[in-house]
Amino acid sequence: MNIILASTSTLFGGEYLEYLKEELIQLYAGIDEIVFIPFARPGGISYDEYTAKASSFFEKIGIKVKGLHEFNDKAEALNNAKGFFTGGGNTFLLVKTLHEENLMSVLKTNVECGKPYLGCSAGSNIGGQNMKTTNDMPIVYPPSFECMGLVPFNINPHYLDPNPELKHNGETRETRIKEFLTQNDLKVVGLREGNWIRRKGDEITVEGAELTRIFEKDKVPYEIEPGTEL
Amino acid sequence: MNIILASTSTLFGGEYLEYLKEELIQLYAGIDEIVFIPFARPGGISYDEYTAKASSFFEKIGIKVKGLHEFNDKAEALNNAKGFFTGGGNTFLLVKTLHEENLMSVLKTNVECGKPYLGCSAGSNIGGQNMKTTNDMPIVYPPSFECMGLVPFNINPHYLDPNPELKHNGETRETRIKEFLTQNDLKVVGLREGNWIRRKGDEITVEGAELTRIFEKDKVPYEIEPGTEL
């Protein structure tokens, strides 16, 4: 497999996907067209608008982008595609749409065959075993929470450390992930913004500038350095 | 109906339920025993521990607390109860358990008959039409997101204003609720900590010290004063 699962598409103060540019040139080496999956619709943006946004970045590195919504036969479009990018937004909307159109398993099969895959945020969540560690609001009811399982763990994108100054009793991210571990025995990778997971064949590492926080059942959470194998 | 749906159980720096004490004396007037619904299990706490926590507050106001998990026939326990309290925690866990044990509709019927009901956080979410505006992580998959609909809108507990200083690209609460409104046409009450919804018969008001932020489809979000009818 040849995969990047990124915490976020955009660093604070940066341009869309800019911080990943060199990585993406390598990920998509030899490929001049990819299929974009716009179903997460951040802020309710239209599929066309979202595809145009992805396109405006990818034209800088010589890659044409086609939105998956543009095809009548979407399964065939995935089978014919050379590579994929799933954008962020609402994970519930993304997973609902992929399951209802029977595309989750088609996408999984194509990525497992070695076609390059980039996910950001919600698009990274669907690379995990299931979507039970998303941060998103459950604005729609998906027929299942199961995802592609391109990596043998779950991802928590936009991982955010507790803010000791916040006078608020909502749960911290760490509390939420620990609640997940009371109900599930599965490793969770708390991916801070600026970090990404890189899978090349069977090698899976975490990359980027920040430490990454790992949560496992009945263990104290711990931090790993960029470059560490997962 | 006779209901309080509170944003939080505990104010920053305060004791469990203390800020609601006078309200709760009125809500449960004439009642010496309530059934506590501990299924949201904050932080994975046991049902017994959670019930003991609720009990230690309610004994100060002369009310005995029985945990719903203590009964073999839970539907009968709800039918025989004089009043209810559903504590906070994880809304997915709470809703899953209530649906799987066929208790959501039994609880709804009993509250609609006029028995007093207090919900905090997740316990307030289930008073709304559905749980699609919870902040919680989807750590388990409920058979449905539908809730009791004790009020004709949805609630977002622990409503938190955007923090302009945060250098983070995760969605703000307002962005999430606006995403909900792209997929659903239902009023959302953004309930800041310290505020609660009070329903007495057909009158529904918002109470507490803070303004409350209201979100409706195709409208600019707006603020209402404590005491305003909903």
Side-chain angles (χ1 to χ4, degrees), chain A residues 10 43 141-142 169 176 179 193, chain B residues 10 43 135 141-142 169 179 193:
Chain A
T10 314
Y141 184 69
N169 276 305
R176 295 173 195 279
E179 282 180 355
E193 292 192 345
Chain B
T10 315
N135 309 310
Y141 184 69
N169 275 306
E179 282 182 354
E193 293 193 345

Side-chain angles (χ1 to χ4, degrees), chain A residues 10-12 43 89 132 135 137-143 145 158 160 167-171 176 179-180 184 193, chain B residues 10-12 43 89 132 135 137-145 158 160 168-171 176 179-180 184 193:
Chain A
T10 314
L11 288 188
F12 185 80
K132 292 180 183 173
N135 310 309
M137 194 172 262
I139 63 174
V140 294
Y141 184 69
F145 283 169
H158 304 283
L160 193 60
K167 293 178 177 174
H168 186 264
N169 276 305
E171 290 88 347
R176 295 173 195 279
E179 282 180 355
F180 168 82
N184 304 268
E193 292 192 345
Chain B
T10 315
L11 289 187
F12 185 80
K132 292 179 183 172
N135 309 310
M137 193 171 263
I139 62 173
V140 294
Y141 184 69
S144 161
F145 283 170
H158 305 281
L160 193 60
H168 185 266
N169 275 306
E171 291 88 345
R176 294 172 195 280
E179 282 182 354
F180 169 82
N184 304 269
E193 293 193 345

